[in-house]
Each structure stands twice: as C-alpha cells, then as structure tokens.
Amino acid sequence: MTNESLISQLASIDRLKNAWGLLNKENEDSYGFSGKTIKDFSQDLDSNLTKLSEVLLDGSFRFSPTRAAIIKKDNGEYRPLQIPEVKDRVVLKALAILLEEQLDTLLSKSEGVSFAYQQGKGVREAILQMKANYLQGGKVILKADIVNFFEEVKKDKLLNELIYPNLRDKTINKLIADSMSQKLKLKRLNRKHWGLFKNAGKGIPQGNPLSPLLSNIYLSKFDIQLKEAGYSLIRYADDFIVIFSSEEEAKEGYEKLVALLRDQFSLKIHALGDKNEKTKIVHPAKNEFSFLSVKFDGENVYPGHETVGYLKHIVREIVKKGQLNSQLFASIYDAIEKWIAIYSYLDIERYFDEIDSFVKNLLIKKFGKKRYKITTCSKLAHRRRAKQYDKNKKSFWRNPDLTGLLPNFIRHRFVRNPEPIEASLEAS
C-alpha cells in the first residue's frame, strides 16, 4: 500500500492517463458548456493532463459549470443530464477509480446482487444471475423502480456515513463534495425542457462519470441488508428485482422493502398497482417478463422483438444503398454479427428463420427474383460464439457455473478455429 496522500495519487500523470483511456470517447464531438470537445482535448493531451495534475496538487483545481442535456428514455420520458467539461470528466473518472479502490471492502459486500457500472459486470451477468436464482425455486418476481433515485440521494448520508469514513485521509474530501454540486448552465438547452432540471443540485447529478459509482455506494447497505435477510436480489443501479416462491411472499417482501428504503435511505419505490407498472409482481411462466430490456418466460431469456426490428432497419439501409457485390454481403453479415454479439448469451435462435427470410426477401425486392445462397444466422452465431469462447480463458462461455444457463445450441458445438464464412452471397 502506498504512503502517498489520496490527492497525490489522484493527481499522478499515470492515473490521469489511465482515466483518459477508460473515459467514454465514442463521440469525439461530445462537449461541455464551453464547447471544447473530446477531440480538442486530445490534440494536446499530454499538456492538458500535466496542467490538470499541477492544479490538483496545488489545490487550485475547480470544477466548471456543466451543460444541461436530455436523452429520451424507452418510455418516451426524458432523462436530464449534466454534462461536464472534458477536463472535468478526466478528473471525475480518476476520482471514481480511486474511490472504488478505497471502498473495495464496502462494495465487495454487494457481490452477487449489484451489477451496474462495475468492471466485469453488466446486463449479461445480471440476467444470467436472475435466471439462475429463479431456477432454484422461484415462482414470482417483484420488479421495482426507485422514484427519482439520483435526485433523492441524501448527500450528507452518502459523504459522511459511507465515503469519508472509508478514506485513508481527507485530502480529496472537498473534491468529492464539489463533484456533486457543480453549477448548471441551461442556455444551450431548449427552454421547454428547463423544468426537468428544477431539482439540479440535489442528490447525484446524472451524466457525471463519478455518479454511477456513487449510486452503488449509496445502495451498498441496502444490498447488504437484503443479502443478510436471505432475499434473492438482483440490482442494476436504481432498478431491481427480488425473486420469491409465492405471490403472498412477494407482497410481504414489497411492504418490507418500502419501509426499509423509506426509513433508512429516504427513498421511495413506485407503488404496487400504479398504472405505470414500474413496480409490479409477475409470474414469468404465465406472463412474459422484461428486465433490463431482456425478456424472460420462466425458462428462457431472450431479447425483445424490437431488437430484431432495429436490426432489420440497419440491414434495409445497407441494401438500399448498396450494389449486388461482395461488399454488400459483407456489410449485411457484419450488421447481423454485431447484433448476435450483443445477445449471444440469450436464446436468439427463435429469431433466426425470420431474419434469414427477411434478408432473402429484401435482396429479391431490390435486385430481382434470383436464387440466393446465404450464410444463415445459425452459422454466423456459431462463428461469433466460438470467437467469444476463444478470446480468453475468462470468457463467460468457459465458466462452468454458467453451463446450464447459456443456450444449449452452442454448448455442444464449440470449434477452436472455425472455417471462414464466405463474404458474399451468390446469385444464380
């Protein structure tokens, strides 16, 4: 263990470079209120990181105001985001990494129940754990959603009870507090959406690279208490499910969870029976159930049909703009394989015939009624899963604990070095 102060560790060039490397830079035109983009920052990266290190060490670093932005959610509502300057994102990411190290003992107690925003965990792990827990005797699932979670988090409780006591010194305390209270600028946002930010400054700001970790820290004691009480909890940020053996048990559990969240965390969950159905009790074997946009019928987990619709849209655009040549078919295969890669751990076979027929009919419609020899989804899926299996020794396909949870289709058909699949469709 290093003897360096936390601020010295945070300000090290190596840590800042690591934070920059882990920062989401998919959209290089992303910007804060000043308009400076990720691309702009990267063009003088070494100098910018050196300056950040210097101001962090001498105590003159200050977070800049954030830019208000919105994204549309699946239910049609808007999620308010507070987008930091790029330089601030680097510091916030470095801070998140350092805090995760410092609070490892606390966060590790959520192992097996918390799956969001953590290395090596995600939607796939949450869904497979849900299936595993349900198959161990579950009959019904209580699905719950916390009302305005990020806005309702109590900062004092988060900082003074959960974070500060677990830090080795106080050198980054003010920085953490300031990260949760950045000023917000609304000027770049359409005035009709300003009301979404009426609670800005309360709780945890969404859009901040540190916020996901803070949410897990705040709910860590919730995870611990449910684990100790023997509840079958699966939590992904502020969305969670609990698996029960009967509807009566689920209703009783719901009442206890409502009281626990209210009394100890000052949080509410959407009421059971509300029209929005954000909190509900479901019998998956009788009624299709959805969690994290994945469907579950009590036996199989599979992507929603809307994902097939999205794939069809992509393929349709490829065919619309393409010519009947090898590049067109390679592009079609690439689009299908990307879809397969995302959902490979699920029962996607149910959609293969539909997708294969769609591709054939699209080609006939665009290029005439010919006999097309295509590489089927089944073959593409086999290749993609084999690649995932061979990628490294820690591949989820190699995990013996997941043997009964992954699709049967592939478990008996792994190939180490699959034959290359033709990159074109032949017309005769």
Side-chain angles (χ1 to χ4, degrees), residues 321-350:
K321 298 174 183 177
Q323 299 296 321
L324 191 62
N325 55 34
S326 61
Q327 181 56 49
L328 171 70
F329 308 130
S331 297
I332 292 172
Y333 290 155
D334 182 60
I336 295 173
E337 270 207 65
K338 285 179 179 177
W339 180 84
I340 288 170
I342 295 171
Y343 303 112
S344 65
Y345 66 99
L346 301 175
D347 171 25
I348 50 177
E349 281 74 15
R350 63 181 58 217

Side-chain angles (χ1 to χ4, degrees), residues 132-168:
N133 290 5
Y134 185 87
L135 294 178
Q136 288 174 4
K139 298 293 182 183
V140 299
I141 296 178
L142 169 66
K143 180 182 179 182
D145 181 56
I146 300 175
V147 179
N148 298 329
F149 169 72
F150 286 90
E151 295 177 2
E152 296 299 328
V153 166
K154 301 302 178 187
K155 291 183 185 180
D156 288 345
K157 178 181 177 66
L158 175 61
L159 294 171
N160 297 319
E161 296 181 24
L162 296 168
I163 296 180
Y164 294 163
N166 289 295
L167 301 181
R168 59 175 296 176

Side-chain angles (χ1 to χ4, degrees), residues 70-73 75-81 192-193 196:
I70 56 171
I71 57 172
K72 199 168 188 177
K73 299 189 287 186
N75 61 9
E77 297 176 357
Y78 289 96
R79 185 187 305 279
L81 302 178
K192 70 178 182 179
H193 296 303
L196 293 169

Side-chain angles (χ1 to χ4, degrees), residues 86-311:
V86 178
K87 68 177 181 62
D88 291 351
R89 297 182 211 178
V90 177
V91 174
L92 290 164
K93 189 65 177 178
L95 195 56
I97 297 167
L98 182 58
L99 277 180
E100 193 165 8
E101 294 169 2
Q102 292 289 304
L103 276 68
D104 178 66
T105 299
L106 175 65
L107 293 170
S108 65
K109 293 178 181 177
S110 293
E111 181 67 30
V113 300
S114 174
F115 295 89
Y117 318 127
Q118 299 168 74
Q119 188 173 3
K121 294 184 176 67
V123 171
R124 180 181 65 210
E125 287 71 27
I127 293 299
L128 292 177
Q129 189 67 59
M130 173 191 70
K131 182 178 179 181
N133 290 5
Y134 185 87
L135 294 178
Q136 288 174 4
K139 298 293 182 183
V140 299
I141 296 178
L142 169 66
K143 180 182 179 182
D145 181 56
I146 300 175
V147 179
N148 298 329
F149 169 72
F150 286 90
E151 295 177 2
E152 296 299 328
V153 166
K154 301 302 178 187
K155 291 183 185 180
D156 288 345
K157 178 181 177 66
L158 175 61
L159 294 171
N160 297 319
E161 296 181 24
L162 296 168
I163 296 180
Y164 294 163
N166 289 295
L167 301 181
R168 59 175 296 176
D169 62 44
K170 299 180 179 180
T171 57
I172 60 173
N173 285 16
K174 185 177 185 304
L175 200 61
I176 298 168
D178 289 348
S179 74
M180 298 171 63
S181 302
Q182 292 174 257
K183 291 182 180 179
L184 176 69
K185 296 290 187 179
L186 294 167
K187 291 181 180 179
R188 290 178 178 267
L189 183 70
N190 190 313
R191 185 178 289 271
K192 70 178 182 179
H193 296 303
W194 284 18
L196 293 169
F197 295 88
K198 64 181 183 296
N199 292 323
K202 291 180 61 180
I204 301 172
Q206 295 188 72
N208 178 325
L210 181 57
S211 298
L213 175 63
L214 296 178
S215 69
N216 279 336
I217 295 170
Y218 193 74
L219 289 172
S220 59
K221 293 292 181 70
F222 173 75
D223 298 339
I224 294 167
Q225 290 194 50
L226 264 65
K227 283 181 72 174
E228 291 177 346
Y231 283 93
S232 180
L233 170 70
I234 306 291
R235 182 177 64 79
Y236 196 92
D238 55 328
D239 289 332
F240 67 88
I241 62 171
V242 185
I243 300 171
F244 294 94
S245 59
S246 70
E247 187 167 341
E248 293 71 23
E249 221 179 68
K251 289 178 178 177
E252 183 181 333
Y254 163 77
E255 296 297 340
K256 290 181 179 179
L257 292 175
V258 168
L260 173 65
L261 287 167
R262 180 192 63 225
D263 298 342
Q264 296 192 32
F265 301 90
S266 301
L267 296 171
K268 298 178 182 178
I269 56 177
H270 289 275
L272 196 60
D274 274 4
K275 291 181 180 180
N276 61 27
E277 291 194 320
K278 290 187 176 181
T279 295
K280 57 184 177 179
I281 294 173
V282 183
H283 294 256
K286 297 179 182 178
N287 300 293
E288 185 181 66
F289 169 74
S290 180
F291 182 52
L292 304 177
S293 299
V294 173
K295 307 291 185 179
F296 181 48
D297 62 10
E299 183 178 354
N300 302 298
V301 283
Y302 47 94
H305 193 264
E306 65 275 7
T307 68
V308 178
Y310 180 67
L311 173 62

